[in-house]
Amino acid sequence: MYSTFTYLALLLSSSLARSISIPHRNTARTTAHYAQLDPPLNTNWTDDVGTNPWPEYPRPRLRRDQWQTLNGIWQYQNASSPNDVYNPPFGQDLAQEVLIPSCLESGLSGIQGTNVIYSWFKTNLTVPSDWSGQDVILNFGAVDYEATVFVNGKNATFHRGGYFEFSVDITPFLDSSGSNELLIFVHDPTDLNGYVIPIGKQRLIPSAHIFYTPCSGIWQSVWIEPAPANYVTQLDLTADMHGQVNVTVHSSYGNGTAVNVTVVDGNDVVGSGTGVSDQAFQFNVSDPKLWSPNSPTLYNVTVTMGDDSFQSYTGFRTISKGTVDGVVRPLVNGKFDFIFGTLDQGYWPDGIYTPPSLDAMVYDLKFLKDLGFNMVRKHIKIEPALWYRACDEMGLLVIQDMPSLRPLENVLPDDGQQQEFGRQLDLLVNQLKSYTCIFTWVVYNEGWGQITTYYPEFDLTARVQQLDPTRLVDATSGWHDHGAGDFSDNHHYANPQCGTPFYSIDSTPYDPKRIGMQGEFGGLGNNVSIDHLWNNQQAINSINQTYEIDTDIDAWNHRSHLLLSELQDQISRYACSVAVWTQTVDVEGEVNGLMTYDRRLKRVDEDQWKKDIKGLYDAASNRTNSTSS
């Protein structure tokens, strides 16, 4: 059932609403200037953010040469109710300046708000003169949660889903010779009563140790770019270990326009194919260099459709499963190697969901890769597109979670909310399925929002497999496992129980028909001084809820070594194929990261961890070197 705001926004999105000028409320106002606020903890990148954040082109898989960032200082003011969308503040200044992209709850935003439910955002844009004769596309990386977009007083689009990119052709609303007002109404209910929506770990009131500060507003990049009237809206592009390139080019007209795709290695064209838009087609590249964690080779790709042309890229690899010496295993390019990574939540003390910069975001991934991890589990969050590009470049496999519904409160979705969860699961897969690094999709985490009176994970798994038959699916990571999907995924703290003939009362026994996986383990805690902690008393009070507290770094590393040794034994003896260590960095009241929340203190004894991680791979290699797919 739609919220009042949603109903009003849908009305505004109609063609009738687009033709009506809504009266202005002209009110004299002095806009408060932007100033970065002090968060409870900062990072080494906080002071370098400035007022022109994220200058990089935001969408590396569909990169047009001409574009203009809209990131920077916008105006913001709080709104009080859903009815405010009927009375937009056209032609007037808003209360405060705000940094875009950012979470309104973050210090970087300059707002650092709480209970931010309804918001207005405003900026002005001027179309470059050399874009004359082309359409202008407005792009958003992500807005949490519902956005109604007005251009020069007209409703241009409505979007729901706090983690997903969206675009709109704003040409009909523009004054191409002058300044244009962009005004956005955002509704973000998070976990308000009556709402069961994908929110991951966000809570209006952080609590229970494992739920954190929410993120509201425009938290990923915004930009405009010129395109012909019939332009590419989405590119689906994958390439397998045999050299087959699979392409679907989606167009704004949807009418089967001729398409050409060229694959380039350095300066050499190694393959090309032609087809028509909005229909799948294939072609082959002879003897491609394969992408893997040990050799992350990528090829540049040029796509041309009519008057539209842009750059992309791909890697050649195949993800599958097969029986290897009697054990069901995940295979990369037909070969089993042990898959080991961290639970990566993607939170930042200065930016909450928004990393302070590309360098900061890549720092975490490089840290993991340097230690020897070959995978990262992106935990119930979706990152900016450049994060996935970095994983492609480094050779980090990604286990991608669907952001979970409201967890742990016996609040389950009704039929309409479950349908919306499924719709947004489709958005997740379609948005990310062409990144080479994606290894596995996770539908449910630990039963959060998972209906158990029937088993929707079977239909949802089939839905994901239809959208993307080239990846594996982990239907239920931990807890309510009824046999769906490709993995038998156990969560257990602190010790692993991975593909073993023993399990705990709060988990399920290993199913030998599926891949043995330790979806979470570890979680060893080590308290630190206040200068490395999220300086919030409630969070500090919850530190002792950590699964285990080790009183010094030596003890923490010793315990880590023992747990990794147990995991190595389970790889050697039993059916363990994949494992996920909790976690990359501390988050708010959790102190169980390989690094502290500010990324300034590494807990790991790097030499020891590198040896232990290599020992896991060696154990899997020694177990078998043959495959059968």
Side-chain angles (χ1 to χ4, degrees):
M1 187 172 184
Y2 290 129
S3 67
T4 302
F5 168 75
T6 301
Y7 176 69
L8 296 175
L10 289 173
L11 287 177
L12 283 169
S13 295
S14 68
S15 58
L16 176 63
R18 290 176 185 231
S19 66
I20 297 174
S21 293
I22 302 174
H24 294 182
R25 293 183 297 108
N26 293 312
T27 304
R29 182 188 299 280
T30 301
T31 302
H33 291 300
Y34 170 76
Q36 187 182 109
L37 300 178
D38 291 330
L41 182 67
N42 64 16
T43 71
N44 289 335
W45 300 274
T46 306
D47 293 339
D48 297 330
V49 171
T51 57
N52 295 293
W54 288 90
E56 300 83 8
Y57 187 82
R59 189 182 55 203
R61 287 200 54 266
L62 203 167
R63 181 187 178 98
R64 294 190 172 92
D65 290 336
Q66 291 183 300
W67 70 291
Q68 177 179 299
T69 183
L70 297 184
N71 292 347
I73 300 300
W74 289 35
Q75 293 184 357
Y76 155 83
Q77 71 187 31
N78 190 41
S80 59
S81 81
N83 293 326
D84 285 19
V85 74
Y86 268 140
N87 201 13
F90 295 141
Q92 59 188 273
D93 289 332
L94 305 186
Q96 300 171 262
E97 290 183 337
V98 63
L99 188 69
I100 298 298
S102 65
C103 302
L104 288 173
E105 294 82 356
S106 72
L108 292 180
S109 72
I111 306 299
Q112 208 159 254
T114 58
N115 294 310
V116 184
I117 310 301
Y118 304 104
S119 306
W120 284 108
F121 296 87
K122 174 188 170 181
T123 193
N124 291 89
L125 63 93
T126 301
V127 179
S129 58
D130 60 351
W131 293 9
S132 176
Q134 301 184 81
D135 285 9
V136 177
I137 314 304
L138 173 64
N139 305 284
F140 294 86
V143 180
D144 198 352
Y145 169 70
E146 293 176 324
T148 304
V149 179
F150 300 91
V151 179
N152 290 334
K154 304 295 184 181
N155 182 276
T157 194
F158 169 78
H159 180 266
R160 180 188 297 111
Y163 298 92
F164 306 106
E165 61 192 22
F166 64 100
S167 301
V168 57
D169 187 340
I170 59 173
T171 310
F173 314 109
L174 289 175
D175 176 357
S176 61
S177 61
S179 179
N180 297 272
E181 181 185 69
L182 176 60
L183 189 68
I184 303 168
F185 187 67
V186 176
H187 173 215
D188 184 18
T190 311
D191 61 334
L192 281 177
N193 286 338
Y195 291 92
V196 182
I197 63 175
I199 56 173
K201 291 290 193 79
Q202 300 180 76
R203 294 292 294 272
L204 288 174
I205 303 175
S207 62
H209 186 56
I210 59 171
F211 302 111
Y212 319 129
T213 302
C215 173
S216 302
I218 305 168
W219 69 276
Q220 291 189 27
S221 289
V222 187
W223 74 103
I224 56 173
E225 57 193 358
N230 185 23
Y231 65 96
V232 175
T233 59
Q234 178 181 316
L235 172 66
D236 299 339
L237 174 66
T238 60
D240 69 19
M241 63 183 287
H242 305 294
Q244 180 170 293
V245 182
N246 300 282
V247 185
T248 304
V249 174
H250 303 265
S251 70
S252 57
Y253 280 7
N255 63 350
T257 306
V259 172
N260 179 263
V261 179
T262 303
V263 181
V264 179
D265 182 10
N267 295 319
D268 300 324
V269 174
V270 296
S272 63
T274 59
V276 296
S277 67
D278 310 292
Q279 297 180 32
F281 64 94
Q282 297 80 34
F283 63 92
N284 287 290
V285 171
S286 299
D287 195 26
K289 292 174 281 189
L290 301 187
W291 184 98
S292 73
N294 293 326
S295 181
T297 303
L298 297 172
Y299 288 79
N300 290 324
V301 174
T302 299
V303 179
T304 302
M305 184 196 75
D307 294 328
D308 197 7
S309 181
F310 59 88
Q311 301 299 309
S312 189
Y313 72 93
T314 195
F316 289 84
R317 57 91 192 91
T318 296
I319 305 297
S320 61
K321 65 179 178 180
T323 300
V324 181
D325 289 353
V327 179
V328 180
R329 301 289 195 183
L331 307 176
V332 178
N333 299 327
K335 182 177 182 294
F336 167 60
D337 288 307
F338 189 74
I339 307 298
F340 188 47
T342 58
L343 194 76
D344 192 87
Q345 306 206 62
Y347 272 81
W348 295 83
D350 44 15
I352 311 300
Y353 258 16
T354 307
S357 68
L358 177 62
D359 286 346
M361 185 174 72
V362 170
Y363 177 87
D364 282 5
L365 297 173
K366 187 175 185 301
F367 166 72
L368 296 176
K369 186 68 177 181
D370 288 348
L371 281 177
F373 292 101
N374 60 10
M375 174 270 289
V376 59
R377 178 183 173 193
K378 180 46 57 181
H379 191 42
I380 52 181
K381 183 199 177 193
I382 301 170
E383 292 290 358
L386 290 168
W387 186 89
Y388 299 93
R389 168 75 195 211
C391 291
D392 285 345
E393 292 175 333
M394 290 186 198
L396 278 169
L397 295 165
V398 174
I399 296 176
Q400 177 63 56
D401 292 9
M402 173 64 188
S404 61
L405 300 172
R406 189 173 175 178
L408 293 182
E409 296 175 329
N410 297 317
V411 178
L412 294 175
D414 60 25
D415 289 345
Q417 292 161 342
Q418 182 67 16
Q419 289 176 14
E420 178 63 17
F421 179 77
R423 185 190 72 87
Q424 293 192 30
L425 179 62
D426 291 355
L427 294 179
L428 166 72
V429 176
N430 283 324
Q431 180 169 313
L432 300 181
K433 66 184 180 183
S434 295
Y435 288 98
T436 305
C437 60
I438 299 294
F439 167 66
T440 292
W441 306 105
V442 176
V443 178
Y444 286 113
N445 176 72
E446 293 188 346
W448 296 358
Q450 181 183 353
I451 297 168
T452 55
T453 53
Y454 65 97
Y455 304 150
E457 63 268 24
F458 283 92
D459 286 342
L460 292 173
T461 296
R463 186 171 185 162
V464 171
Q465 290 169 333
Q466 182 177 16
L467 289 171
D468 179 18
T470 71
R471 300 323 201 292
L472 303 175
V473 181
D474 188 354
T476 53
S477 186
W479 299 13
H480 306 314
D481 181 4
H482 306 110
D486 297 306
F487 293 87
S488 179
D489 183 349
N490 180 29
H491 289 192
H492 189 259
Y493 289 101
N495 306 63
Q497 296 176 345
C498 184
T500 64
F502 47 84
Y503 64 98
S504 298
I505 192 169
D506 58 352
S507 60
T508 52
Y510 163 63
D511 174 5
K513 298 186 297 298
R514 294 178 293 156
I515 298 166
M517 176 172 171
Q518 187 69 51
E520 295 180 25
F521 82 113
L524 302 176
N526 166 250
N527 206 349
V528 290
S529 59
I530 190 63
D531 51 323
H532 297 295
L533 289 173
W534 180 252
N535 193 2
N536 172 281
Q537 194 58 50
Q538 182 180 8
I540 292 171
N541 292 344
S542 73
I543 285 174
N544 280 335
Q545 296 177 35
T546 304
Y547 303 105
E548 173 181 311
I549 294 288
D550 302 316
T551 57
D552 57 57
I553 292 291
D554 287 342
W556 186 90
N557 276 288
H558 175 65
R559 287 286 295 143
S560 299
H561 171 69
L562 293 179
L563 296 189
L564 293 175
S565 297
E566 282 192 49
L567 182 64
Q568 180 176 327
D569 182 67
Q570 292 171 17
I571 296 168
S572 297
R573 290 176 179 269
Y574 303 121
C576 185
S577 295
V578 184
V580 180
W581 179 277
T582 302
Q583 61 183 326
T584 307
V585 301
D586 297 349
V587 184
E588 300 195 5
E590 291 189 89
V591 292
N592 53 11
L594 302 180
M595 291 187 288
T596 52
Y597 197 17
D598 58 6
R599 278 78 168 169
R600 291 189 175 102
L601 176 63
K602 298 178 181 178
R603 291 189 176 90
V604 292
D605 178 327
E606 294 191 38
D607 289 339
Q608 173 200 303
W609 271 79
K610 288 177 181 178
K611 290 176 183 177
D612 285 341
I613 291 172
K614 183 177 184 298
L616 304 179
Y617 302 145
D618 289 345
S621 179
N622 292 336
R623 178 79 181 264
T624 180
N625 286 311
S626 62
T627 63
S628 167
S629 56

